[in-house]
């Protein structure tokens, strides 16, 4: 299940990855999406939208995928890919007519690969521990990308569900539930 998370959700995940740095200026504008399976958190992604006041066109907003955090025990199953694709699908479905760019400062090779696979242009940032990835949007590309990302997100979620069911079959449902971050469940708010 995908659901909206809170700043507390994000804080608990950030405590597990203290080296990650958010590029958000104001935490109040950051949206958080949590992915759960069998009641256990699998990973989280944060993102934000900003209006570029120097741009005098209708497409005056950019989005930033900020933090993608997947605990080590959940890596390798497609959690990060599913989270990133769901956020991209959301952004392109809800805000595409105003978006001119979606970017990410990818601090991990896996995130860089996911973004590159989805058409982001990547470039190394000298003397930094991250890669800048950007997806430029044009009038012609928005609808095509929206449909592409929505389809890719659905496929990624199906693949992830399969991998997690396989893991559950090998280790039992209780083992999957035991892998949560020890956080109390928050009220469910589906994305």
């Amino acid at each position: 299940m995908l659901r909206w998370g809170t700043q507390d959700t994000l804080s608990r995940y950030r405590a597990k990855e203290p080296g990650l740095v958010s590029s958000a200026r104001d935490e109040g504008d950051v949206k958080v999406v949590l992915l759960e399976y069998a009641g256990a958190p699998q990973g989280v992604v944060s993102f934000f939208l900003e209006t570029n006041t120097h741009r005098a066109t209708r497409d005056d907003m950019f989005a930033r995928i900020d933090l993608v955090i997947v605990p080590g025990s959940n890596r390798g199953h497609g959690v990060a890919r599913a989270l990133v694709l769901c956020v991209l699908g959301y952004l392109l479905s809800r805000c595409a007519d105003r978006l001119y760019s979606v970017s990410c400062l990818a601090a991990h090779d896996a995130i860089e690969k996911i973004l590159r696979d989805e058409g982001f242009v990547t470039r190394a940032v000298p003397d930094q521990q991250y890669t800048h990835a950007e997806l430029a949007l044009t009038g012609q590309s928005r609808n095509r990308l929206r449909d592409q990302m929505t389809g890719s997100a659905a496929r990624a979620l199906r693949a992830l569900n399969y991998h997690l069911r396989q893991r559950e079959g090998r280790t039992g449902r209780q083992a999957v539930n035991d892998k949560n971050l020890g956080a109390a469940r928050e009220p469910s708010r589906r994305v």
Side-chain angles (χ1 to χ4, degrees):
M1 172 170 50
L2 287 170
R3 65 181 178 90
W4 291 112
T6 64
Q7 287 301 316
D8 288 340
T9 306
L10 186 58
S11 293
R12 284 193 304 271
Y13 274 83
R14 286 186 74 181
K16 301 284 184 185
E17 296 287 343
L20 293 179
V21 178
S22 173
S23 60
R25 292 186 196 127
D26 178 10
E27 285 188 355
D29 293 335
V30 175
K31 296 183 183 339
V32 179
V33 176
L34 177 68
L35 190 144
E36 291 181 333
Y37 178 77
Q42 302 297 307
V44 67
V45 62
S46 64
F47 67 97
F48 58 90
L49 291 154
E50 284 191 24
T51 301
N52 181 345
T53 57
H54 301 292
R55 200 169 161 102
T57 59
R58 175 150 172 76
D59 58 343
D60 61 351
M61 294 181 79
F62 66 91
R64 170 76 49 91
I65 297 172
D66 193 38
L67 300 174
V68 181
I69 306 171
V70 177
S73 61
N74 295 337
R75 292 182 184 163
H77 299 288
V79 174
R81 180 174 297 278
L83 283 166
V84 167
L85 290 170
C86 287
V87 165
L88 289 170
Y90 171 84
L91 289 168
L92 291 166
S93 294
R94 304 286 177 145
C95 313
D97 61 330
R98 295 213 38 212
L99 279 176
Y100 66 89
S101 171
V102 180
S103 64
C104 180
L105 303 178
H108 194 280
D109 292 342
I111 300 301
E112 181 182 347
K113 181 183 180 331
I114 292 166
L115 296 171
R116 208 175 325 105
D117 288 351
E118 297 306 321
F120 280 67
V121 175
T122 60
R123 66 175 170 77
V125 180
D127 302 323
Q128 298 296 324
Q129 299 297 317
Y130 59 83
T131 299
H132 181 268
E134 182 175 17
L135 181 65
L137 302 171
T138 63
Q140 294 85 13
S141 71
R142 286 185 181 100
N143 289 337
R144 179 183 54 77
L145 286 170
R146 181 196 63 227
D147 295 343
Q148 174 187 328
M149 294 303 170
T150 302
S152 293
R155 285 188 296 280
L157 286 170
R158 283 193 300 273
L160 173 60
N161 187 48
Y162 173 79
H163 288 295
L164 294 174
R165 279 194 337 257
Q166 293 300 104
R167 180 177 77 180
E168 180 181 290
R170 286 193 308 270
T171 62
R173 180 166 281 218
Q174 186 58 44
V176 172
N177 286 331
D178 290 344
K179 291 187 187 247
N180 73 25
L181 294 176
R185 279 187 53 96
E186 298 168 25
S188 179
R189 293 173 287 158
R190 291 185 183 212
V191 177

